[in-house]
Amino acid sequence: MMIALCIFLSGTRLYRHKFPAGSPLTRIAQVFVAAIRKWNVYVPSNTTTLYEVYDKDSLRVGRRQLLHTDEFTFLDKAAVLVDPDCCTEKAPQSPWNLCTVTQVEEVKLVIRIVPIWLATFTYGVVFAQVSTFFTKQGSTMNTNMGPHFKVPPASLQSFSTVPILVLLPVYDRVVVPTARRLTGNERGITMLQRIGVGFFLSIITGVVAALTEVKRLSAARHHGFIDKPEAIIPLSIFWLLPQYILMGVSDVFAIVGQQEFFYDQVPDTMRTMGMAFYLGAIGMSNFLSSLLITVIQKVTSHTAHHSWFVDNLNRSHLDYFYWLLAVLSVLNLCVYIAMAQSYTYKKTQSLAASISCREGSIELGFKHKEGELRPLQNEECSN
């Protein structure tokens, strides 16, 4: 750890630090407040008249302009310039009264991302079983590998990692170029399609896990170990490998796809929020997994049959739980497909391309004239 710390600190002078740009939550709140304040203002049909800003500071940091979209048009009220005479270079309006199109589109992006983010929870619940019930199953099975070595049940989690290490280069070097030729998409398939493939594989993982558990319980009954929770069932632990490997393969699509999607689709000023979406989904999924198990245990404990979760795993119904996860994953995938089809990807334009008129005559999408700012017309920019 000391060596790693020294290596880390040695690169401090090479770090590129970003200047603080304020809280993204403040920018989001400004749009809602400005839109509510102008709730009775008409949004012009010509959206090019909406307030926009092109400044040299944004150009220097590489911030991209977001193009206007036709969704959530109520928020466009925040970018309506009610009185151009009150918005001058020396006395700009408060951002709580007037926001740029890019700022409004940033909020729209976050709103669009939230349903996709919620759809990742079900996948995360399936993923949470790798370090919990999968390991618990392995602890009741034969872990011998040869006469002198026993496989630690928790070590099978490495079989979820190995497919990721092997398949990621294959995906980038083989799958993406092949798919690119077929689809014309630079990424091969879209980010949402990649996540959807991962969701589909998680369904197969749930089915395989349920079938494996059925076989494990059958072996326990056959050898009379149903009421002997400490007994080792004479069934090799390697029967669990398919579900571990399938989970790893699904991670190549779903987990990596989520990281790529959330980081790419959040506004340039909210990159940290993109990682917060991804990490928050993992945390919420683990919480929901615990909540689901608690609810199932309370509900099934009042039935005539045994609860799905008891101390004796051979008396539990872990197979039922896996079937339930598979069904929930199917329903979640159907909802996800509907949301993905209606999702509008971020439309950006570099500020360098946006500033196409003579330097000094335009600032922030408006033209200077005797100390005032007014919307720039298309014909003016072409001159």
Side-chain angles (χ1 to χ4, degrees):
M1 289 299 294
M2 181 61 68
I3 296 174
L5 179 62
C6 292
I7 295 174
F8 176 78
L9 295 177
S10 65
T12 302
R13 291 180 296 179
L14 303 177
Y15 295 161
R16 185 178 66 179
H17 298 278
K18 294 183 64 176
F19 293 103
S23 171
L25 298 179
T26 301
R27 293 175 61 84
I28 294 174
Q30 287 172 345
V31 172
F32 281 105
V33 171
I36 292 173
R37 284 181 173 179
K38 292 184 282 189
W39 63 274
N40 59 344
V41 173
Y42 172 74
V43 178
S45 57
N46 183 10
T47 57
T48 59
T49 62
L50 296 176
Y51 181 65
E52 184 54 286
V53 171
Y54 307 87
D55 59 356
K56 295 181 180 179
D57 291 337
S58 295
L59 179 62
R60 185 172 60 251
V61 300
R63 186 177 301 160
R64 293 176 295 176
Q65 174 200 9
L66 294 178
L67 303 181
H68 179 267
T69 59
D70 295 328
E71 296 176 305
F72 311 112
T73 54
F74 171 79
L75 297 176
D76 291 338
K77 296 177 183 291
V80 175
L81 190 61
V82 179
D83 187 3
D85 295 332
C86 296
C87 185
T88 65
E89 181 181 10
K90 296 182 179 179
Q93 287 196 22
S94 168
W96 296 95
N97 293 322
L98 181 64
C99 303
T100 64
V101 172
T102 293
Q103 188 174 349
V104 172
E105 291 301 320
E106 288 176 351
V107 177
K108 291 182 181 181
L109 279 175
V110 174
I111 295 175
R112 292 190 200 104
I113 288 174
V114 169
I116 302 296
W117 179 65
L118 295 175
T120 63
F121 289 177
T122 303
Y123 175 84
V125 172
V126 178
F127 179 77
Q129 310 315 313
V130 173
S131 58
T132 54
F133 284 133
F134 283 13
T135 303
K136 185 67 175 176
Q137 284 177 281
S139 66
T140 67
M141 302 170 73
N142 181 14
T143 60
N144 291 328
M145 193 173 75
H148 305 293
F149 182 76
K150 291 182 178 292
V151 178
S155 67
L156 259 64
Q157 295 181 35
S158 62
F159 286 95
S160 293
T161 306
V162 171
I164 299 175
L165 297 176
V166 173
L167 293 180
L168 272 179
V170 174
Y171 181 86
D172 290 335
R173 298 297 181 180
V174 178
V175 177
V176 171
T178 303
R180 184 184 298 137
R181 288 192 293 269
L182 297 175
T183 64
N185 189 295
E186 181 64 23
R187 302 176 185 269
I189 57 176
T190 66
M191 292 176 286
L192 291 178
Q193 287 173 341
R194 182 173 184 173
I195 296 173
V197 172
F199 286 1
F200 175 75
L201 291 175
S202 72
I203 297 174
I204 300 177
T205 302
V207 172
V208 170
L211 294 176
T212 303
E213 177 63 8
V214 169
K215 183 171 183 60
R216 191 192 68 84
L217 292 175
S218 176
R221 284 192 295 269
H222 178 74
H223 292 87
F225 291 156
I226 287 295
D227 294 316
K228 298 178 180 179
E230 303 299 330
I232 300 300
I233 300 173
L235 185 68
S236 175
I237 193 174
F238 293 107
W239 275 91
L240 299 177
L241 281 185
Q243 62 200 58
Y244 276 105
I245 294 174
L246 280 171
M247 202 70 236
V249 175
S250 70
D251 287 353
V252 173
F253 292 91
I255 295 296
V256 179
Q258 288 176 44
Q259 293 175 342
E260 186 180 29
F261 174 79
F262 290 129
Y263 187 80
D264 180 83
Q265 289 299 296
V266 294
D268 292 347
T269 57
M270 304 180 186
R271 293 298 192 190
T272 53
M273 183 176 288
M275 294 308 298
F277 271 119
Y278 166 68
L279 296 174
I282 295 177
M284 286 298 299
S285 299
N286 282 276
F287 171 77
L288 291 176
S289 176
S290 300
L291 179 62
L292 180 62
I293 292 172
T294 301
V295 171
I296 291 174
Q297 186 173 16
K298 287 185 177 297
V299 171
T300 59
S301 61
H302 297 294
T303 62
H305 302 285
H306 286 287
S307 171
W308 287 15
F309 307 107
V310 293
D311 293 337
N312 182 0
L313 197 63
N314 297 333
R315 282 288 183 182
S316 300
H317 291 288
L318 202 55
D319 52 335
Y320 294 174
F321 180 63
Y322 289 148
W323 286 120
L324 175 63
L325 291 183
V327 171
L328 292 177
S329 296
V330 170
L331 297 177
N332 181 71
L333 180 60
C334 294
V335 175
Y336 172 80
I337 291 174
M339 293 189 298
Q341 288 178 337
S342 62
Y343 182 82
T344 302
Y345 282 93
K346 180 168 65 174
K347 300 177 181 179
T348 63
Q349 181 178 0
S350 67
L351 284 169
S354 301
I355 305 177
S356 58
C357 297
R358 187 172 64 254
E359 183 177 359
S361 65
I362 302 173
E363 184 178 357
L364 314 182
F366 284 74
K367 185 170 183 177
H368 294 274
K369 184 178 181 182
E370 297 178 356
E372 69 180 26
L373 295 174
R374 64 181 178 83
L376 177 68
Q377 302 301 321
N378 291 333
E379 59 269 23
E380 293 179 306
C381 191
S382 61
N383 294 333

